[in-house]
Amino acid sequence: MNNYKDELNNKQYDAVTYFDSPLLILAGAGSGKTRVLTYKIAYIIEVLKENPYSIFAVTFTNKAASEMKERVSSLLGISVNSMWIGTFHSMCVRIIKMYRRKMGEKYNFTIYDSQDSKTLVKKLIKQEDEMELNPKICRKTISNLKNKMISPAEFSKMTENYIQEKICKIYYLYEKFLKENNALDFDSLLLETVNILKNDPSFKKQLNSMFKYILVDEYQDTNEVQYELLKMLYSKNHISVVGDDDQSIYAFRGAKISNILDFDKDFKKTKVIKLEQNYRSTKKILNAASDVISNNCKRKEKRLWSELPDGDNIKIINAIDERDEAKYITHEIIRLSKKSSYSHSAVLYRTNAQSRPLEEMFRSMSVPYAVIGGMKFFERKEIKDIIAYLNLVINRNDGLSLLRIINVPRRGIGKKGIDSIMNLNKRGIPFEEIIMNTDTYKNELSLQTFQGIKSLRKVITIGDERSDNAFEAISSIVEESKYNDFLDLMDTIESTSRKENVQELINSAYEFVGTAEDITLASYIDMISLYTDTDDMESIDEKVYIMTVHNAKGLEFENIFVSGMEEGLFPHINSFETEDGLEEERRLFYVAMTRAKKHLFITYANSRNHYGNRTINGISMFLNELPVKGTDNEFTFFHNQKITIKCKKGEKQRKGKMLFNINEVVIHPFWGNGVITGIKGSGDNTIANIRFYSVGIKKIYVKYANLQRKDK
């Protein structure tokens, strides 16, 4: 039998052995939450002598579920594969099949993944001739409605405009198709389970009797339907949830931080146990992270501590620009790699577009790397599309590039049109001849194909006319092809990310023109061919990991570099409109800091290329929330530049105390000049409507905005 008392610290042991009432385990970063859950499962079976199948243990990813099973199996020395341990979706599949067997129904059904769902939505939009609907936005809306447990009939009563009415129509047909084809999508798995429990009290009672112990991992990431499912499965037996409100960073996926903040209100007589001893990071890192997160209002009070050494000082590096930032990070990683492995270092950033200068610098200095949770910059679809255009400007007989973008964006050239072009080429007519002398072959092409090729020719011709300057050539190709308009038709989040990546490619050409001797497009293509070479970086075991902070959650590294700590980038510009948005950004920074075990580097640039312009952003407000000099942290600054710390240790930052008036001109650190058109609320809750010259009207919390009066 395991010696639980000796193998757990006091708080962990209390959490593992407590069963008298609902239990909320607030597990700080690196405090051993997975250890607590697995030991609790083992304790129920080994000490309490309970049936293994009386435990319902749920988490969010297959990887986490597999790890939980492996640890429990190792502790007990038995196979646990058939136990109720798994993801929300896998557990719901088992419950639905169990119910259908009970009802004598066909229990096997098809599960549609996200791609299947998108294909179905596209099919229905085409079938109903509702072509003005964006399939991705329509699919996302349906998913959001399901996660809020809103049926097509309920949504029909809530629609506010013409587009919503059309989406409601597709939603109804979508659900009808699923039912007729005995299929469920991922969202339906959760919703169907909840509906079964609502509509069949006897089956619900059966599950309540069966699951005496409900254990939930990463509770802060649950959405509405997952919360409802857990409430229905719980029937005054025992429920333990493990989570960290300070690491709730998935609101964009529907996660509700209120689920963990209000757990003790929703489940009466809740016992709260805080796991605050961290086994990952040095004291200086923990102290800094705790000081930052203490500025959030919507959180459960806790402070991480450690018995590990104080460790090295956190380094805040002030770089000249993004290339200087990437150069510093690369040199520092090379220095650290001489003492350990490249794989002990990771670079975290707020947006995917920030990877481009890092990747270029890593390649130029032969530092192996892997992009986690996303493709490498020059392998991303939108980048490959633009590069295909560039290739055609230089080599109009490049058939592979031609086929890639011949109808991207759409030019009315369908499969038949492409077949016509290929048939001409098979007759020995070069692609360049077909593109540049389309009139000669007008009778052999449909009108749409003919016009589409002429449209493509115009883009290539303009690029060729400006090919003496790579930056001007690429900028004109993106503009003339209306590629950004094409990206705007996608889902809002995906569109923004892709457009940022395209802009980063333009930034790359801008920097190239400013530094290269030969600034032609041909020379630029030669340069970037090094980045799209077929060298197999993945075969190298030792590599630096680079990723967004969202993708870093749950990971840990000896050395962490958090880059781009500038106002408008981190916190992201979109977060300024709500207090909740800024609190989530602060949680994101907290997650980034607590990934570091020994060394934490935080970098920001004095200026950064943004949409072809060199912009100067202020430093992130979060850096002003770090401990001041004289505490356990003494910061080292690159270029010997210093940050002015605006608040004392323990104080909360209170920006925006200045009073502003309607019609007053103000300056925002990211959006620039704007005019105040309205003010609501008072004190910390003051919200200003500001018409910015650059982005239009925004509603922002004044206390977070860093507004300044424009001198008259």
Side-chain angles (χ1 to χ4, degrees):
M1 181 177 288
N2 292 288
N3 192 331
Y4 294 88
K5 191 73 173 176
D6 291 343
E7 295 172 22
L8 302 164
N9 67 35
N10 291 338
K11 289 291 184 180
Q12 290 174 338
Y13 181 78
D14 290 344
V16 165
T17 59
Y18 184 84
F19 296 96
D20 293 341
S21 65
L23 176 62
L24 170 60
I25 306 169
L26 291 174
S31 62
K33 68 177 182 62
T34 304
R35 184 178 183 83
V36 166
L37 270 184
T38 53
Y39 269 82
K40 195 172 185 78
I41 294 171
Y43 187 89
I44 292 169
I45 297 170
E46 189 175 45
V47 179
L48 301 185
K49 306 297 183 184
E50 294 282 4
N51 185 337
Y53 299 99
S54 67
I55 302 168
F56 183 91
V58 65
T59 187
F60 276 82
T61 66
N62 289 317
K63 179 182 177 182
S66 297
E67 182 182 355
M68 194 181 297
K69 286 181 179 179
E70 288 171 7
R71 290 198 187 188
V72 173
S73 179
S74 177
L75 286 171
L76 297 177
I78 60 172
S79 173
V80 298
N81 287 333
S82 59
M83 283 179 59
W84 288 81
I85 302 175
T87 64
F88 273 98
H89 292 100
S90 66
M91 305 285 253
C92 286
V93 169
R94 290 181 69 175
I95 291 174
I96 293 168
K97 289 188 174 183
M98 179 180 173
Y99 176 74
R100 292 190 178 187
R101 285 192 186 97
K102 176 191 173 187
M103 302 303 292
E105 300 174 0
K106 293 181 179 179
Y107 57 84
N108 286 321
F109 51 85
T110 301
I111 300 174
Y112 284 178
D113 62 19
S114 57
Q115 192 58 50
D116 295 327
S117 298
K118 291 174 185 175
T119 301
L120 175 54
V121 168
K122 287 181 181 178
K123 175 180 180 294
L124 294 172
I125 288 175
K126 184 176 181 180
Q127 170 189 302
E128 298 300 311
D129 196 25
E130 303 288 5
M131 303 308 292
E132 68 269 45
L133 289 180
N134 182 313
K136 290 188 177 180
I137 292 177
C138 187
R139 170 69 190 106
K140 184 179 179 183
T141 302
I142 291 173
S143 177
N144 289 339
L145 289 168
K146 286 188 173 186
N147 286 329
K148 293 179 180 178
M149 298 176 288
I150 299 173
S151 68
E154 291 169 328
F155 184 48
S156 68
K157 299 174 183 177
M158 302 163 55
T159 55
E160 298 177 346
N161 54 52
Y162 177 70
I163 293 296
Q164 286 185 355
E165 289 175 1
K166 288 185 173 294
I167 292 177
C168 184
K169 177 183 177 183
I170 299 300
Y171 184 16
Y172 171 79
L173 293 171
Y174 179 90
E175 291 298 282
K176 183 172 180 285
F177 184 94
L178 291 180
K179 186 174 182 180
E180 290 175 349
N181 288 268
N182 191 27
L184 294 172
D185 64 13
F186 280 179
D187 298 316
S188 295
L189 292 173
L190 300 169
L191 189 55
E192 176 79 357
T193 306
V194 168
N195 288 335
I196 286 172
L197 298 179
K198 282 183 178 178
N199 298 327
D200 193 328
S202 65
F203 184 68
K204 176 178 176 294
K205 186 176 181 180
Q206 179 183 343
L207 292 187
N208 293 152
S209 299
M210 186 168 73
F211 298 135
K212 294 177 64 176
Y213 303 94
I214 298 173
L215 309 177
V216 188
D217 191 16
E218 303 286 7
Y219 188 70
Q220 77 280 350
D221 294 335
T222 54
N223 60 24
E224 284 188 45
V225 67
Q226 288 162 340
Y227 166 79
E228 186 64 23
L229 174 62
L230 294 170
K231 283 278 286 185
M232 298 187 79
L233 289 176
Y234 169 70
S235 180
K236 297 181 181 179
N237 289 320
H238 179 76
I239 182 169
S240 288
V241 301
V242 183
D244 183 5
D245 50 310
D246 290 334
Q247 296 187 71
S248 180
I249 59 173
Y250 295 120
F252 67 94
R253 295 180 186 171
K256 293 185 64 177
I257 191 173
S258 59
N259 286 354
I260 190 167
L261 293 178
D262 296 337
F263 182 84
D264 51 352
K265 298 175 185 175
D266 298 334
F267 293 84
K268 303 303 179 184
K269 299 182 180 180
T270 291
K271 169 81 169 178
V272 179
I273 295 177
K274 299 177 182 180
L275 304 183
E276 297 170 296
Q277 182 175 359
N278 176 284
Y279 293 91
R280 176 189 300 157
S281 307
T282 63
K283 290 178 181 176
K284 289 185 177 180
I285 292 172
L286 291 182
N287 287 339
S290 295
D291 273 18
V292 169
I293 201 62
S294 68
N295 286 274
N296 269 4
C297 298
K298 296 181 179 179
R299 66 184 295 261
K300 300 279 190 180
E301 186 60 39
K302 59 183 174 299
R303 189 174 184 91
L304 297 182
W305 61 276
S306 175
E307 292 181 346
L308 296 174
D310 283 354
D312 292 343
N313 294 332
I314 295 171
K315 293 184 180 180
I316 298 181
I317 298 89
N318 175 206
I320 298 171
D321 54 27
E322 68 273 21
R323 289 190 63 78
D324 187 39
E325 177 185 57
K327 187 174 183 180
Y328 174 86
I329 290 172
T330 306
H331 278 290
E332 196 65 23
I333 286 174
I334 291 172
R335 181 184 69 81
L336 291 167
S337 71
K338 293 176 181 178
K339 300 178 182 179
S340 60
S341 166
Y342 276 120
S343 62
H344 289 168
S345 295
V347 186
L348 311 183
Y349 39 73
R350 180 62 182 82
T351 66
N352 279 312
Q354 291 170 252
S355 76
R356 194 267 305 167
L358 288 164
E359 292 189 58
E360 288 182 351
M361 195 62 66
F362 285 160
R363 284 181 176 270
S364 69
M365 301 187 74
S366 301
V367 173
Y369 71 93
V371 181
I372 304 300
M375 299 177 68
K376 293 180 180 178
F377 184 83
F378 291 99
E379 295 174 353
R380 292 166 184 162
K381 179 189 180 302
E382 58 274 16
I383 301 304
K384 292 178 75 68
D385 285 349
I386 302 302
I387 290 175
Y389 276 107
L390 308 186
N391 289 336
L392 277 177
V393 171
I394 303 302
N395 175 19
R396 293 178 188 127
N397 283 319
D398 183 348
L400 192 62
S401 293
L402 174 64
L403 291 177
R404 181 178 184 91
I405 48 85
I406 193 168
N407 201 39
V408 178
R410 292 179 180 176
R411 301 184 177 87
I413 304 177
K415 185 179 183 302
K416 290 183 179 179
I418 293 173
D419 288 342
S420 300
I421 294 168
M422 296 305 295
N423 287 334
L424 289 172
N425 182 252
K426 287 176 182 177
R427 285 163 42 191
I429 303 171
F431 286 120
E432 180 176 13
E433 171 70 13
I434 299 170
I435 296 170
M436 305 310 294
N437 297 302
T438 317
D439 292 348
T440 306
Y441 309 99
K442 184 174 182 179
N443 294 333
E444 299 186 60
L445 302 169
S446 69
L447 179 60
Q448 280 187 318
T449 302
F450 172 75
Q451 292 175 337
I453 295 176
K454 289 185 68 175
S455 172
L456 175 62
R457 180 176 69 194
K458 185 178 179 182
V459 177
I460 294 172
T461 301
I462 288 176
D464 184 50
E465 290 171 351
R466 302 183 183 181
S467 61
D468 286 341
N469 184 300
F471 170 71
E472 292 182 3
I474 297 175
S475 297
S476 63
I477 285 171
V478 171
E479 181 179 356
E480 185 61 34
S481 67
K482 295 181 171 55
Y483 194 83
N484 280 335
D485 292 343
F486 162 66
L487 293 178
D488 279 336
L489 298 175
M490 298 180 177
D491 172 81
T492 304
I493 296 175
E494 184 177 3
S495 169
T496 301
S497 176
R498 289 182 184 273
K499 286 171 71 175
E500 288 175 346
N501 291 334
V502 170
Q503 187 55 48
E504 277 300 307
L505 183 69
I506 296 174
N507 291 346
S508 172
Y510 180 83
E511 293 169 3
F512 173 80
V513 168
T515 56
E517 293 184 8
D518 182 356
I519 64 172
T520 63
L521 182 61
S523 177
Y524 177 77
I525 291 174
D526 288 341
M527 185 270 289
I528 63 174
S529 69
L530 296 173
Y531 302 133
T532 55
D533 202 355
T534 56
D535 292 342
D536 186 12
M537 296 292 293
E538 302 305 318
S539 65
I540 303 175
D541 291 329
E542 288 195 7
K543 63 193 73 164
V544 178
Y545 293 93
I546 61 177
M547 68 196 88
T548 64
V549 183
H550 282 103
N551 284 319
K553 187 168 177 289
L555 303 178
E556 59 182 47
F557 297 89
E558 298 283 324
N559 317 306
I560 286 289
F561 295 79
V562 186
S563 63
M565 289 302 300
E566 299 141 36
E567 206 84 340
L569 186 56
F570 200 170
H572 195 274
I573 188 170
N574 293 340
S575 69
F576 287 104
E577 298 184 35
T578 65
E579 184 172 357
D580 286 348
L582 275 167
E583 292 218 348
E584 177 142 338
E585 289 289 301
R586 189 176 283 108
R587 292 194 293 269
L588 201 58
F589 183 41
Y590 173 81
V591 167
M593 296 175 72
T594 54
R595 300 310 94 195
K597 296 169 72 174
K598 291 184 177 179
H599 304 110
L600 177 59
F601 302 81
I602 303 173
T603 67
Y604 71 99
N606 290 338
S607 71
R608 194 173 293 271
N609 225 340
H610 184 71
Y611 290 99
N613 298 312
R614 179 62 53 183
T615 61
I616 299 176
N617 304 322
I619 66 171
S620 170
M621 67 172 71
F622 299 151
L623 295 189
N624 284 323
E625 298 171 355
L626 291 166
V628 297
K629 188 175 181 179
T631 66
D632 291 336
N633 297 281
E634 293 183 2
F635 302 117
T636 303
F637 297 94
F638 199 35
H639 302 314
N640 293 320
Q641 296 187 19
K642 294 184 178 180
I643 292 175
T644 301
I645 303 296
K646 297 182 180 179
C647 59
K648 296 179 181 179
K649 183 177 179 182
E651 280 186 354
K652 291 191 175 183
Q653 190 74 359
R654 294 299 183 189
K655 298 184 179 182
K657 282 288 187 180
M658 298 173 65
L659 297 177
F660 297 97
N661 300 311
I662 293 176
N663 295 327
E664 188 170 13
V665 178
V666 294
I667 304 173
H668 187 277
F670 195 81
W671 290 318
N673 293 348
V675 178
I676 296 178
T677 60
I679 296 176
K680 292 182 179 180
S682 61
D684 286 348
N685 295 319
T686 301
I687 298 175
N689 287 351
I690 305 177
R691 180 182 287 109
F692 290 102
Y693 305 143
S694 59
V695 294
I697 294 177
K698 292 284 185 181
K699 292 182 179 180
I700 60 177
Y701 274 81
V702 174
K703 75 171 181 177
Y704 291 115
N706 259 345
L707 294 176
Q708 295 181 3
R709 285 190 174 88
K710 184 174 176 60
D711 294 334
K712 296 183 180 179

